[in-house]
Amino acid sequence: MLQNKNILIGITGGIAAYKVCELIRLFKKNGANVKVTATKNALEFVTKLTLETLSQEPVYLEQFSIEEKKPEHISLCDWADVFVIAPASANTIGKIANGVCDNLLTSLACAFQKQIFIAPAMNTGMYNNFAVQKNIEILENNGIKIIEPETGFLACGTNGKGRLAEVSEIYSVVESYFEKKQFLKNKKVVVTAGGTKENIDPVRYIGNYSSGKMGTAIADAAAIAGAEVVLIKTFDIDRNYKTVDVKSAQDMFEAVKKEFVDSDVLIMVAAVADYRPETVQDLKIKKENNDSFTIKLVKNPDILSEMCKIKKTNQQVIGFCAESNNLIEYAKEKIKRKNCDYIIANDISKKETGFASNYNEVFVIDKHLNMTKIEKDTKENIAMKIMELLYGKNN
Ligand code: C5P
């Protein structure tokens, strides 16, 4: 279940920090990739060397260092599928509940948009304190999963609630989170992403502004949901599932035909050029010889429509509809004309949710023209919400 899952562990300063060494080992043993961030106080209880040896990664401590051209808290957020904070001190719980970001761990918690797990561990008096209880409630009400501490003998010599949950308990809570998310297990999902490039001559092409971010987010979400994913794309990006590189609409058509045959779902997120130059010049077109020239364009295949014509009853085809006006009207007309199972419509005229943005806001429309709006969110969250809406356990 945890194979290739990226787990970020946050350790705060408490005696239970030593128990988290075992948790790291358990995650690693079961195939997860683990990275660790720790507060300065945590390193009073467990050494950096121990954590680095167990995780086989550097321990992340600095709030203001840059990794892969991004601040560390952002690149770690991108990397991790879940963030597990154990043990979580009263201090760190209070900071996270109130949006304080005064170290790397709390900044990560603030920026993290996927699932956070918090396993508190502290003295009983602290745990029962009104402010700590109120802060825990705030965290729970905002989607953070609290792994409750146990009652028992505490390091401070007292007996009561506050002992870190068993490592095996923390492990199984995280594992069952991933289990529940596996709603596309044993399904093959093909996703197209990016804008196609239609060659004019060896150095020029007709293209569009699609960044491929939404398509990649959809493919990632399908992979997290356990699908066998094939991402057919027009841009460079590394993924740990199958990717196929294409340039033009015709290349994409060939790749889609090949991958669609044994797939369960095709999601056409790519911005496919509707037309291409009828002929591609072998040599670069020289301006010296031409004051003007005309390129005759011919129609590209509509991949989405073609796949809808051949799809079997157990296959689903989903199209995207990016429009700058009359969004819903065009989307409804498109689902009828192309005969696909769903259309996901987004308004590209809005600056903050358009083509290159990290955000989106979409309407999911089914064959019967029922419509569900997914409010503005990051493309990653929108992608997961779409997959959950269409294929999640309740469907
Ligand atoms: O008709 P329109 O281009 O707006 O339709 C958009 C949807 O159709 C997208 O899902 C896009 O990936 C797909 N499409 C296609 N082949 C084309 C043009 C668009 O599959 N030639």
Side-chain angles (χ1 to χ4, degrees), residues 268-270 272-274 301-304 319-320 323 334 337-338:
M268 288 288 312
V269 195
V272 186
D274 292 322
D302 187 317
I303 306 171
L304 186 63
F320 265 66
E323 300 288 348
K334 207 162 288 184
R337 178 165 45 85
K338 301 205 186 198

Side-chain angles (χ1 to χ4, degrees), residues 136-392:
I136 289 178
E137 197 183 317
I138 293 175
L139 298 178
E140 265 185 320
N141 289 342
N142 286 284
I144 292 180
K145 175 112 190 64
I146 303 292
I147 307 173
E148 276 205 36
E150 294 190 339
T151 301
F153 182 68
L154 300 178
C156 52
T158 57
N159 231 315
K161 194 165 181 179
R163 195 168 73 182
L164 182 71
E166 287 295 328
V167 162
S168 56
E169 166 69 9
I170 301 175
Y171 177 87
S172 53
V173 170
V174 175
E175 190 187 45
S176 64
Y177 165 79
F178 283 114
E179 216 161 50
K180 273 199 213 115
K181 288 233 160 232
Q182 298 282 295
F183 52 80
L184 283 172
K185 203 171 176 187
N186 300 324
K187 302 281 180 207
K188 177 175 172 182
V189 177
V190 180
V191 182
T192 64
T196 60
K197 293 176 175 158
E198 309 298 328
N199 279 354
I200 298 169
D201 69 13
V203 292
R204 302 181 181 97
Y205 62 83
I206 298 173
N208 62 65
Y209 288 113
S210 169
S211 64
K213 284 180 187 167
M214 193 64 226
T216 306
I218 291 276
D220 287 351
I224 291 172
E228 173 199 344
V229 174
V230 180
L231 174 62
I232 300 172
K233 62 185 178 67
T234 59
F235 50 90
D236 282 342
I237 196 165
D238 283 334
R239 279 299 183 266
N240 54 8
Y241 45 76
K242 182 174 175 182
T243 58
V244 179
D245 288 308
V246 295
K247 269 192 187 154
S248 65
Q250 282 180 305
D251 294 344
M252 186 172 276
F253 189 32
E254 292 310 315
V256 169
K257 274 195 284 191
K258 193 166 157 232
E259 294 293 345
F260 183 61
V261 184
D262 61 347
S263 73
D264 298 280
V265 181
L266 167 66
I267 311 180
M268 288 288 312
V269 195
V272 186
D274 292 322
Y275 296 91
R276 66 177 183 276
E278 185 175 42
T279 50
V280 180
Q281 301 299 319
D282 289 336
L283 300 175
K284 183 180 171 189
I285 300 166
K286 303 298 287 176
K287 63 175 174 287
E288 290 77 9
N289 308 330
N290 302 301
D291 280 341
S292 71
F293 68 96
T294 305
I295 301 171
K296 183 175 177 199
L297 299 177
V298 293
K299 213 159 194 176
N300 268 327
D302 187 317
I303 306 171
L304 186 63
S305 303
E306 294 304 319
M307 294 303 113
C308 288
K309 282 182 202 158
I310 61 165
K311 84 181 169 84
K312 298 181 221 102
T313 47
N314 60 344
Q315 291 181 303
Q316 286 206 332
V317 176
I318 301 171
F320 265 66
C321 170
E323 300 288 348
S324 51
N325 60 320
N326 297 338
L327 178 66
I328 303 301
E329 202 181 305
Y330 286 142
K332 287 182 173 174
E333 177 274 321
K334 207 162 288 184
I335 197 167
K336 290 256 173 254
R337 178 165 45 85
K338 301 205 186 198
N339 191 30
C340 46
D341 296 281
Y342 296 95
I343 278 279
I344 317 239
N346 72 298
D347 185 344
I348 50 164
S349 70
K350 290 189 178 173
K351 230 184 177 171
E352 67 281 16
T353 53
F355 259 174
S357 165
N358 290 326
Y359 292 85
N360 209 347
E361 178 185 275
V362 302
F363 296 87
V364 179
I365 304 171
D366 71 15
K367 274 183 175 166
H368 311 291
L369 306 184
N370 299 314
M371 196 164 74
T372 309
K373 185 179 184 188
I374 301 182
E375 298 289 347
K376 185 184 165 189
D377 206 334
T378 59
K379 287 186 172 172
E380 288 78 11
N381 285 348
I382 293 270
M384 192 42 93
K385 285 178 186 171
I386 293 172
M387 300 317 269
E388 274 168 358
L389 178 72
L390 302 188
Y391 303 110

